[in-house]
Structures are given as structure tokens and as C-alpha cells.
Amino acid sequence: ARRGLVPYRVRGRWDVACALPETAFQLALLSATLYFLVRAWTAPLIARHVSGSFLRLFAVDAARLGDSNERRINGEYSLVELGLLAGQGGGLDAGLSATFIMFMVIGPVARTVSQ
């Protein structure tokens, strides 16, 4: 049984067979690919742990200033966070960050959706 657009005409119209199983498989594959892409972007990629007495003083000072989120010394970073952190310096760093995000986020999504 042929599926899809059959290359001959029947009664002046194209004969289109049922393509539902192939469409369902394609949508399932697309959904799985997008799921694993999001998991790869958000999973912790790098973990940094720095210890010492200087960091305790730094943490107390940062908490006093209310700046604890911006000066994150210890923590885990995902792939998207690394791209965004690279662009915080501005200037050429923003160009580096935009290029990184384009190739690591926009490119895979565009390739997946266009399949």
C-alpha cells in the first residue's frame, strides 16, 4: 500500500493515501527532540565550589548589600546560563554571547522544527 501523495491521478484528482501513522511518528519524534534539547540546556553543566575564610566574609558582605544573586560564587551553571553570563560584560562579550546563543539554542530549535 502506497502512502502519501500518489504520483498518478484518479478521476482528475490526486489520490492521497492515509499518512496518519507517519505524521504521528514525526510529531512524536519532534516532541522527543525538543524535550531533550530543553533538558540539555537546563541541566547543570558546570558546578563550582570555592571554600575558604575570604569567601565567608565576601558572602556576609554581599548579603549585607543585598547583592547575593549577582555575585554567585558557588553554584551550578547550565548551558544557557553560561551563554548569558558571557554577555554580562557588554561590548564584544555581548557579541560572543549572542553567537553562542544562536548556535546552541536557536540553531537546534530551527533545525528540529524544520524537519
Side-chain angles (χ1 to χ4, degrees):
R2 301 172 83 182
R3 296 188 185 273
L5 194 57
V6 179
Y8 58 87
R9 290 180 175 237
V10 177
R11 292 185 210 120
R13 301 180 66 185
W14 288 104
D15 185 17
V16 179
C18 180
L20 189 59
E22 288 87 358
T23 304
F25 178 73
Q26 185 72 20
L27 287 175
L29 195 59
L30 173 71
S31 300
T33 304
L34 287 175
Y35 170 77
F36 285 114
L37 276 174
V38 170
R39 291 280 302 184
W41 293 329
T42 58
L45 182 68
I46 296 173
R48 178 171 62 177
H49 177 73
V50 182
S51 61
S53 59
F54 176 73
L55 289 177
R56 284 190 210 122
L57 291 174
F58 182 72
V60 168
D61 188 41
R64 183 176 57 82
L65 294 173
D67 201 16
S68 60
N69 286 335
E70 192 156 332
R71 295 184 184 181
R72 196 166 71 171
I73 298 290
N74 296 325
E76 296 178 339
Y77 300 93
S78 69
L79 195 61
V80 173
E81 286 176 322
L82 288 177
L84 295 176
L85 284 172
Q88 285 184 349
L92 291 176
D93 292 340
L96 171 71
S97 177
T99 304
F100 182 80
I101 294 295
M102 184 176 73
F103 280 102
M104 297 304 293
V105 176
I106 297 171
V109 168
R111 182 169 184 225
T112 302
V113 172
S114 68
Q115 293 290 324

